Amino acid sequence: VVLGVLLGLSIRHVVSRFEFVARNKGAVLIFLFVAYFVALSSGAWNELVVGLFEPMQRAPVGWYADVALLGTPGLAAAPVYAGSALALSGVLGGLGVVVGTAIANRHWFSDPALAGSESAPSEGAAEPGIEGRIEGVVGRQTAALVTLSWRRAKRSPLKLLYAFYPMLIMAGLLANIVQPGEVPAYLPFAVLVFAAWAAGVVFTLNPLGDQGAALASTLLSAVDGRTFVRAHVAASLVIAIPVGMVVTGAVALVSPIEQGTALLLVAATPAIMLVSAALSVGIGMAFPRFEATNVTQSMKTVLPSRWAFLLFSLHLFGTAAAAAIAAQKVVRTVVAGLLSFLLTWILPLEVTVSPEVLWLVAVAALVPLVLAPIVSYRYAVRRFDSYTLA
């Protein structure tokens, strides 16, 4: 407990009393997350844990195991190590109280790094650099909404937390690829799906909730539903399309797929990103979230609704699975065999699913799945035009 309080005070002091860290808390947190992801996917984290296991076992922290094992039949515990652990607890406890008190005094009587600094400009303040450049292309209202979305994300990077979920899911997959050094043929397709997933949650999965206190002003302004929805879709696509094309193209280049397939995949990236954003904006308008969520004990941000995130993810991966089943015979055969096994295991009957039947089901499912983004976009426009505050 003493060491935990000491560690917590030290972290809090660094986060709140050093100006660079205090001003860029979100960016630092994202950097640490990306670094952890790279270490995890490259296998460096596993090597570090394995390398530290035996030294930690021999270190004083390992002596506490001897305390726990004292008197256990069949297991040899070292009484000397057990006694040393108890003595070490007293030393560390006393030292922790002294050092912790000094850090607590320094923290308590010091001012936060950003205390007295100028407040951030209002959300309606113009950024002539970016907004002026895109105003001639998309119009003044759309340019203002686009830059406003980017400004909010810059001030609160934790709003983009859901966009990193694809990286978490890909961590284990990339670890199995980086270590042997072989890129499977399916990886470019998986990267495109995950890039589309990230594109759909950045700015379009909670457009109403992201307005915050400015929602009433936005609803009462001259902005209509079409402009509002298109602005949020554009804010996402301007960033997602270049990143998605570069990442997908790079992975396709080192993968064993044919060159024509790789070019087709890169060319299809903008359309898939557009479909993803059009789908997510309607779901986000249907399930808005206005309450801030505790990301850490002292950091809050407004995240998309769990229902919106779940429905968007199910549609995206359902569409990708149906397309793979309809296009690839190998996928149909594997999925048909897996479904036959599961149904036979669940039901008291021997059920066989043929690849032909599975193809028909996948093609039939693709029709509503492909049309859903169009319906979602039109619903989002109507939803904004008819939205009222309680």
Side-chain angles (χ1 to χ4, degrees):
V1 171
V2 171
L3 295 181
V5 171
L6 170 61
L7 180 62
L9 281 173
S10 301
I11 294 175
R12 182 175 178 83
H13 188 77
V14 171
V15 169
S16 61
R17 299 310 193 256
F18 289 82
E19 183 176 357
F20 176 81
V21 181
R23 194 176 297 276
N24 302 280
K25 285 188 292 186
V28 171
L29 186 62
I30 292 175
F31 172 78
L32 293 176
F33 172 82
V34 173
Y36 172 72
F37 169 78
V38 172
L40 192 65
S41 60
S42 64
W45 183 260
N46 290 339
E47 295 179 3
L48 177 64
V49 173
V50 172
L52 289 177
F53 183 79
E54 289 188 1
M56 291 290 288
Q57 187 179 11
R58 294 191 297 266
V61 70
W63 298 347
Y64 290 95
D66 293 280
V67 179
L69 296 177
L70 282 177
T72 304
L75 294 176
V80 175
Y81 286 163
S84 301
L86 297 178
L88 181 65
S89 299
V91 174
L92 290 180
L95 185 62
V97 169
V98 174
V99 177
T101 302
I103 293 178
N105 285 330
R106 181 178 179 83
H107 180 74
W108 182 260
F109 291 107
S110 62
D111 294 326
L114 302 182
S117 61
E118 295 183 1
S119 58
S122 62
E123 290 189 342
E127 290 182 3
I130 299 176
E131 187 172 337
R133 285 193 291 269
I134 66 176
E135 183 176 326
V137 180
V138 297
R140 182 176 59 84
Q141 293 178 339
T142 303
L145 288 170
V146 169
T147 54
L148 182 58
S149 298
W150 291 343
R151 192 180 304 123
R152 285 179 178 139
K154 180 181 178 181
R155 293 174 184 170
S156 181
L158 293 178
K159 284 180 176 292
L160 313 181
L161 190 63
Y162 278 165
F164 290 94
Y165 277 28
M167 297 179 65
L168 286 175
I169 295 179
M170 293 271 304
L173 177 64
L174 292 179
N176 295 330
I177 294 172
V178 172
Q179 295 174 15
E182 297 180 0
V183 179
Y186 66 83
L187 186 61
F189 300 92
V191 168
L192 178 56
V193 172
F194 284 114
W197 190 18
V201 301
V202 176
F203 298 109
T204 53
L205 202 56
N206 191 28
L208 290 176
D210 287 339
Q211 292 293 308
L215 179 59
S217 301
T218 304
L219 292 173
L220 294 173
S221 67
V223 175
D224 59 0
R226 190 182 302 272
T227 302
F228 180 81
V229 172
R230 286 183 177 179
H232 284 80
V233 171
S236 177
L237 295 183
V238 168
I239 298 174
I241 288 179
V243 174
M245 293 183 69
V246 170
V247 174
T248 303
V251 176
L253 184 64
V254 299
S255 69
I257 64 175
E258 298 179 357
Q259 186 176 2
T261 305
L263 292 175
L264 182 62
L265 200 62
V266 175
T269 300
I272 293 175
M273 296 289 185
L274 176 61
V275 169
S276 172
L279 172 73
S280 66
V281 73
I283 297 177
M285 294 287 283
F287 298 95
R289 184 172 187 173
F290 303 98
E291 301 82 10
T293 302
N294 283 325
V295 180
T296 65
Q297 186 176 3
S298 59
M299 299 176 68
K300 292 184 177 182
T301 190
V302 179
L303 296 176
S305 165
R306 292 187 181 92
W307 275 111
F309 183 73
L310 178 62
L311 291 176
F312 169 70
S313 302
L314 288 176
H315 179 277
L316 180 66
F317 288 105
T319 304
I325 292 172
Q328 296 292 329
K329 184 178 180 181
V330 176
V331 177
R332 288 197 298 271
T333 304
V334 173
V335 175
L338 181 61
L339 287 176
S340 299
F341 171 77
L342 291 176
L343 291 175
T344 303
W345 181 64
I346 296 173
L347 301 175
L349 301 173
E350 185 174 350
V351 181
T352 302
V353 179
S354 66
E356 292 76 15
V357 173
L358 193 60
W359 180 84
L360 291 174
V361 173
V363 171
L366 277 175
V367 176
L369 289 173
V370 171
L371 294 177
I374 301 176
V375 177
S376 178
Y377 170 80
R378 294 174 64 88
Y379 168 80
V381 173
R382 295 194 305 269
R383 171 74 166 168
F384 180 86
D385 289 333
S386 61
Y387 193 84
T388 56
L389 295 175

